Amino acid sequence: QPMGDGGPGAPGAVGVTVTTVEPRDLPLAAELSGRAVPYRVAEVRPQVSGIVLKRLFEEGGAVEAGQQLYQIDPATYQAAAQSAEADLAKARANLKSVEAKAARYADLVKINAVSRQDYDDVVATLDQAKAQILVAQAAVQTARINVDFTKVYAPIAGRIGKSSVTEGALVTANQTSAMATITQLDPIFVDLNQSSAELARLRATAAAAGNAPDAPAVVRLLSDDGGVLPTAGQLKFTDVTVDPSTGMVQLRAEFANPRQELLPGQFVRARVEQGTLKQALLIPQPALIRNPDGSAMVWVVGADNTVQPRPVQVGGAVGGEWRVEGGLSPGERVVVTGLQKIQPGAPVAPTPAAKTDVANRP
């Protein structure tokens, strides 16, 4: 093939499209899959036994913390509270009698009108009467608590599911089955899974780029077509253990969910942005050639418009491009199309390649 003088119009020059390698800041990101999980879940159970008189909420509706959900028949607990209050009154009356007797004996023992033993017995009886007051007060408090427990309240705010009991049903204290379940959906957690090897590579790249290891990571949800949804979440923590069966590490992100678009158990895809790689070099994926031994190379167009192969080291894929870690310098031109027609030292007629669509590029 004629070599020519290397100009664009040189005889035998092969028409190719090229891209100029230009450095730009690149978000360090990983696309992960996971599922949404509720922020809080509260299973409502009765703390006293009895017949359910009323259900005071709409199934599937929103409830507030402290809102009454059920009314259990309080009659027996109100009677127990009245009995406890009567026992307290009896103990207080007994205390007055013993206090008067102890006061008299205190004067009589001074003139030896009663024995010291009788006086000590009265003092002991007085202490017992005071203790009976405390016991009766505790019984009254317990009985009142049980009366309050006949009103079942919502422990958290959220959406309540279906009721497992209806009016007239018998419930027992601390039963294993929940009367209803409340789920808090705003905010909501998204649990993501990332391989331990990928997590280590991403952290190493972030450290090499000068990003702080504890810098907060931003998590963005991806739509079914790969686009980025406007909702952004915050990475809350990365688990400290690796699942031995899968080699995956769990990451948890928190998202605002005011419209409850995310529901527990929903499958999601998300992009975790863990910093920025400054002045990264990217080339289109079609420009990269893999040799039989697995090494990578590109064709570089020189100043005289001739091409030469160049070995390069590449990192991960970024959209439709490869991140170059070595072998190229900013400003160099790399052949994108026409690779089958060129050979080392061949003259080419380069034209700029169309700009890569970056609408969905991380």
Side-chain angles (χ1 to χ4, degrees), residues 126-172:
L126 177 61
D127 290 340
Q128 291 176 356
K130 291 179 180 179
Q132 286 297 324
I133 294 290
L134 297 176
V135 172
Q137 288 175 337
V140 169
Q141 185 177 6
T142 300
R144 289 174 178 172
I145 290 174
N146 286 334
V147 172
D148 290 339
F149 280 163
T150 62
K151 297 180 179 180
V152 182
Y153 297 99
I156 64 172
R159 298 194 71 86
I160 192 166
K162 68 178 182 179
S163 175
S164 65
V165 296
T166 60
E167 291 84 350
L170 174 65
V171 294
T172 57

Side-chain angles (χ1 to χ4, degrees), residues 85 87-97 99 129 133 137:
E85 290 171 353
D87 290 341
L88 177 59
K90 180 180 178 181
R92 284 173 174 164
N94 181 59
L95 176 62
K96 291 181 180 179
S97 174
E99 282 179 335
I133 294 290
Q137 288 175 337

Side-chain angles (χ1 to χ4, degrees), residues 1-16 305 341-343 345-349:
Q1 182 175 355
M3 298 298 291
D5 60 1
V14 178
V16 295
N305 285 343
K341 304 175 184 179
I342 56 178
Q343 59 185 1
V348 293

Side-chain angles (χ1 to χ4, degrees), residues 69-318:
L69 304 177
Y70 296 95
Q71 176 64 61
I72 298 173
D73 188 357
T76 57
Y77 299 102
Q78 289 172 342
Q82 292 174 352
S83 176
E85 290 171 353
D87 290 341
L88 177 59
K90 180 180 178 181
R92 284 173 174 164
N94 181 59
L95 176 62
K96 291 181 180 179
S97 174
V98 175
E99 282 179 335
K101 185 176 182 179
R104 290 193 301 271
Y105 272 46
D107 293 335
L108 294 174
V109 75
K110 294 177 183 178
I111 61 175
N112 295 322
V114 295
S115 67
R116 171 59 85 176
Q117 181 63 52
D118 289 340
Y119 175 69
D120 291 342
D121 290 344
V122 170
V123 172
T125 302
L126 177 61
D127 290 340
Q128 291 176 356
K130 291 179 180 179
Q132 286 297 324
I133 294 290
L134 297 176
V135 172
Q137 288 175 337
V140 169
Q141 185 177 6
T142 300
R144 289 174 178 172
I145 290 174
N146 286 334
V147 172
D148 290 339
F149 280 163
T150 62
K151 297 180 179 180
V152 182
Y153 297 99
I156 64 172
R159 298 194 71 86
I160 192 166
K162 68 178 182 179
S163 175
S164 65
V165 296
T166 60
E167 291 84 350
L170 174 65
V171 294
T172 57
N174 302 315
Q175 63 187 30
T176 56
S177 60
M179 301 173 72
T181 300
I182 302 173
T183 304
Q184 182 174 346
L185 301 177
D186 183 24
I188 194 169
F189 288 135
V190 171
D191 287 346
L192 305 167
N193 295 306
Q194 185 176 31
S195 71
S196 56
E198 183 181 4
L199 178 62
R201 285 196 302 269
L202 196 60
R203 284 179 170 175
T205 304
N211 296 306
D214 57 349
V218 176
V219 184
R220 301 185 185 277
L221 298 180
L222 303 179
S223 62
D224 293 338
D225 59 3
V228 180
L229 299 179
T231 304
Q234 193 75 31
L235 187 67
K236 302 302 290 185
F237 75 88
T238 301
D239 208 347
V240 295
T241 58
V242 178
D243 188 332
S245 61
T246 62
M248 306 296 282
V249 179
Q250 189 175 83
L251 291 74
R252 170 163 286 184
E254 180 182 323
F255 287 85
N257 194 32
R259 298 181 180 178
Q260 299 179 7
E261 296 169 336
L262 289 175
L263 298 176
Q266 183 176 343
F267 177 81
V268 297
R269 292 190 304 120
R271 192 180 71 198
V272 182
E273 299 175 355
Q274 295 177 293
T276 302
L277 182 63
K278 302 293 185 180
Q279 301 296 295
L281 300 180
L282 299 174
I283 59 172
Q285 289 188 1
L288 188 75
I289 299 174
R290 290 287 183 181
N291 295 318
D293 60 359
S295 61
M297 60 161 285
V298 296
W299 290 92
V300 178
V301 180
D304 59 353
N305 285 343
T306 60
V307 293
Q308 295 292 341
R310 176 84 61 81
V312 293
Q313 296 78 46
V314 294
V318 181

